[in-house]
Amino acid sequence: MNFNAPEFALFFPVVLLVYAALFKRERPRELWLLAASYFFYMSWNWKYAGLLLLSTAIDFLLGQRLHDAHDPAQRKRLATLSVVVNFGLLGVFKYFNFFLDVTRDTLQLFGRELPFQPLDVLLPVGISFYTFQSLSYTIDIYRREIAPEKDFARFALFVSFFPQLVAGPIVRAVDFLPQLHGERRISSEDFREGLFRVFRGLFKKVVLADLLANFGVDAVFASPSSYSSLDLYLALCGYAFQIYNDFSGYSDVAIGASRMMGFKFPENFNRPYLAQNVREFWTRWHISLSTWLRDYLYIPLGGNRGAKGRTSFNLMATMLLGGLWHGAAMNFVLWGAYHGALLMFARSADRHSREQVGAGLLLWRRLVCFHVVLGGWLLFRVTSLEHLGEYVQGFARLSAGTQLSAGYFGALALALVAHFSSQAQIERFGQRIAALPAPLQGALYASLVLVFCALTLQAP
């Protein structure tokens, strides 16, 4: 079940109604959210709920053991076991076949064959998110930054909470678990702002991201040789805003739905195409992932504390893992390597980017950074090196003219306005909607649900 699926338009109101009825009874409401979260996950494939439960149980038990252990060697073994189990499950279900294919292709260059067959398994939805989330819990206990959760149901709810289970943001235990303890309050402001955030996210996903894909991006990437260089460029720009609205739209729905139930999650995107350099881009793009990689990989590797060569290695290793986290394919590896190289070369120049500059230079820096990031999105979107070569050859033709429809240009223009509107402007718009009479608000949101469902059902 996706947020933009018509089923979610039925599922979420039911969850809210029962949650409201149980609101003053702490244990029942938590068990209801846990049951709803597992139902949400099982709607994709019920068999993989066992994998989610297994990962949850292992880290719950290891967290308790880590807290009770005092011998440094034993604590290190327990933390290592958590890392091995979590990345082992992730590796088997998400990366085994990818590395098997890479190894087979490499051996074939030397005339050798690999006597192993790919695993016939589905990729469990959300496994990258809940693995990183659960793993951060045991690592934080190992570092003695948090105490373990003593209630298994609450910990299971932290791992499986349905708004952010399959698409993020990656919420850490230190941010979520304390919200399960003590008295819960939901103000009318929380509910209104959360509801507006949900519809804002659906608008990003269903209207902006999907229309950009359907009106031009998918067709151009499917056959780059059939389009002019200008169209290739416009489609690549469109893809940059498509993937932003896709990812950030899901995060907005997650943050908004959670707030309607009284939970507050950290922001995950902050208008990334306003960045002046690649380092700033990564403070604005998928913030929960970039900070996770920083805190649990880059800094433990040594961060920027060592020699220049060691720092470069740490950056590249971190970004390669970040690329692989998005998917088990070579294009994601290349995308991670591309950003790793950019961060390596940009470190010395970052101090100049933070200086106060005039409007003209600020605009120039943002344009340059956007186009540098655009090169990464090309690597992210293509499906093979041959596909990449075809796209690059299309650029080299330097041909003009366009086959893209007016609908595509309208969707792209709307995406630009939405992205570059300030947070204050968006909040004022939300306040105007909140000021409408309740029946009118209800009619407006109900109409939007019908529009979103119609667009989703008509999508190819």
Side-chain angles (χ1 to χ4, degrees):
M1 188 189 310
N2 293 321
F3 291 151
N4 57 314
E7 295 83 0
F8 187 76
L10 299 175
F11 168 80
F12 187 52
V14 171
V15 172
L16 279 180
L17 286 173
V18 178
Y19 182 70
L22 300 174
F23 189 71
K24 294 184 179 180
R25 301 168 62 190
E26 182 176 333
R27 192 61 173 178
R29 79 177 181 227
E30 291 175 354
L31 293 177
W32 167 247
L33 288 182
L34 180 59
S37 296
Y38 267 82
F39 177 85
F40 179 85
Y41 192 75
M42 292 167 67
S43 68
W44 166 74
N45 189 317
W46 66 269
K47 297 177 182 179
Y48 284 92
L51 184 65
L52 173 62
L53 184 60
L54 174 64
S55 179
T56 301
I58 290 173
D59 280 327
F60 177 77
L61 293 173
L62 287 176
Q64 298 288 344
R65 293 284 302 278
L66 270 168
H67 178 72
D68 296 337
H70 298 288
D71 177 47
Q74 183 186 9
R75 300 187 79 252
K76 189 172 184 179
R77 285 195 298 270
L78 290 169
T80 301
L81 179 59
S82 175
V83 172
V84 170
V85 169
N86 278 284
F87 279 121
L89 292 173
L90 189 60
V92 168
F93 286 93
K94 186 170 183 176
Y95 300 111
F96 180 84
N97 288 342
F98 168 69
F99 286 115
L100 189 69
D101 290 339
V102 171
T103 304
R104 177 181 289 112
D105 292 342
T106 303
L107 288 176
Q108 285 177 349
L109 295 175
F110 299 94
R112 304 292 297 273
E113 293 293 332
L114 189 67
F116 296 104
Q117 296 299 317
L119 293 177
D120 185 18
V121 294
L122 290 174
L123 174 64
V125 66
I127 189 171
S128 297
F129 287 96
Y130 72 71
T131 296
F132 273 28
Q133 190 158 299
S134 184
L135 183 57
S136 68
Y137 168 79
T138 52
I139 294 175
D140 284 350
I141 293 175
Y142 172 73
R143 295 173 173 175
R144 299 198 184 279
E145 294 178 356
I146 62 171
E149 173 57 56
K150 297 180 180 180
D151 188 293
F152 179 73
R154 282 177 172 166
F155 180 72
L157 179 58
F158 153 67
V159 177
S160 65
F161 191 45
F162 73 87
Q164 44 73 232
L165 175 60
V166 299
I170 302 170
V171 181
R172 303 187 193 185
V174 68
D175 295 318
F176 187 90
L177 287 174
Q179 298 186 61
L180 294 176
H181 294 268
E183 186 178 358
R184 176 163 304 287
R185 297 178 183 274
I186 304 176
S187 67
S188 57
E189 181 182 5
D190 285 331
F191 193 87
R192 287 195 306 268
E193 291 187 2
L195 184 62
F196 176 73
R197 190 68 176 267
V198 167
F199 278 88
R200 174 184 166 191
L202 290 173
F203 176 79
K204 284 181 176 182
K205 165 60 183 168
V206 177
V207 177
L208 298 180
D210 288 355
L211 290 185
L212 283 169
N214 298 335
F215 281 163
V217 171
D218 287 350
V220 173
F221 272 91
S223 181
S225 59
S226 303
Y227 292 86
S228 69
S229 303
L230 177 61
D231 277 347
L232 296 180
Y233 170 75
L234 291 171
L236 185 55
C237 290
Y239 179 66
F241 286 94
Q242 176 199 334
I243 196 169
Y244 163 73
N245 284 291
D246 201 325
F247 284 8
S248 70
Y250 271 108
S251 288
D252 283 342
V253 175
I255 293 170
S258 301
R259 186 161 185 184
M260 291 173 71
M261 293 181 283
F263 298 95
K264 293 185 179 180
F265 288 170
E267 293 295 332
N268 207 24
F269 291 87
N270 180 22
R271 298 192 294 168
Y273 300 134
L274 286 176
Q276 299 183 54
N277 54 69
V278 177
R279 188 174 182 181
E280 184 186 353
F281 171 81
W282 279 102
T283 66
R284 293 171 172 267
W285 176 270
H286 213 321
I287 300 168
S288 64
L289 173 62
S290 61
T291 54
W292 196 101
L293 292 171
R294 178 198 66 198
D295 295 343
Y296 298 107
L297 182 61
Y298 179 67
I299 292 177
L301 283 174
N304 56 5
R305 298 188 298 273
K308 184 177 180 181
R310 178 65 188 186
T311 299
S312 296
F313 171 82
N314 297 341
L315 281 170
M316 182 58 72
T318 300
M319 296 312 299
L320 283 173
L321 179 61
L324 269 175
W325 182 88
H326 285 83
M330 191 56 68
N331 58 311
F332 299 119
V333 176
L334 292 175
W335 178 75
Y338 176 80
H339 273 277
L342 289 175
L343 289 170
M344 286 164 53
F345 289 117
R347 287 193 70 251
S348 60
D350 281 347
R351 62 179 182 274
H352 302 297
S353 301
R354 291 190 289 268
E355 297 172 356
Q356 292 293 328
V357 297
L361 182 56
L362 178 62
L363 177 61
W364 172 251
R365 286 180 175 177
R366 286 173 171 169
L367 284 172
V368 170
C369 182
F370 173 74
H371 285 85
V372 169
V373 170
L374 212 57
W377 289 137
L378 178 58
L379 296 174
F380 196 92
R381 181 60 173 78
V382 296
T383 56
S384 66
L385 291 177
E386 292 77 14
H387 190 196
L388 175 62
E390 187 180 358
Y391 213 98
V392 172
Q393 288 173 6
F395 276 136
R397 290 197 301 268
L398 298 178
S399 52
T402 182
Q403 300 177 51
L404 296 172
S405 66
Y408 177 79
F409 287 104
L412 182 58
L414 194 58
L416 287 166
V417 171
H419 183 275
F420 294 110
S421 296
S422 68
Q423 185 61 33
Q425 291 172 319
I426 294 171
E427 288 176 357
R428 284 197 296 270
F429 181 68
Q431 289 167 359
R432 291 192 187 100
I433 293 179
L436 295 173
L440 191 55
Q441 285 187 58
L444 173 63
Y445 284 129
S447 300
L448 287 175
V449 168
L450 294 176
V451 170
F452 293 155
C453 288
L455 289 173
T456 299
L457 291 173
Q458 291 177 5

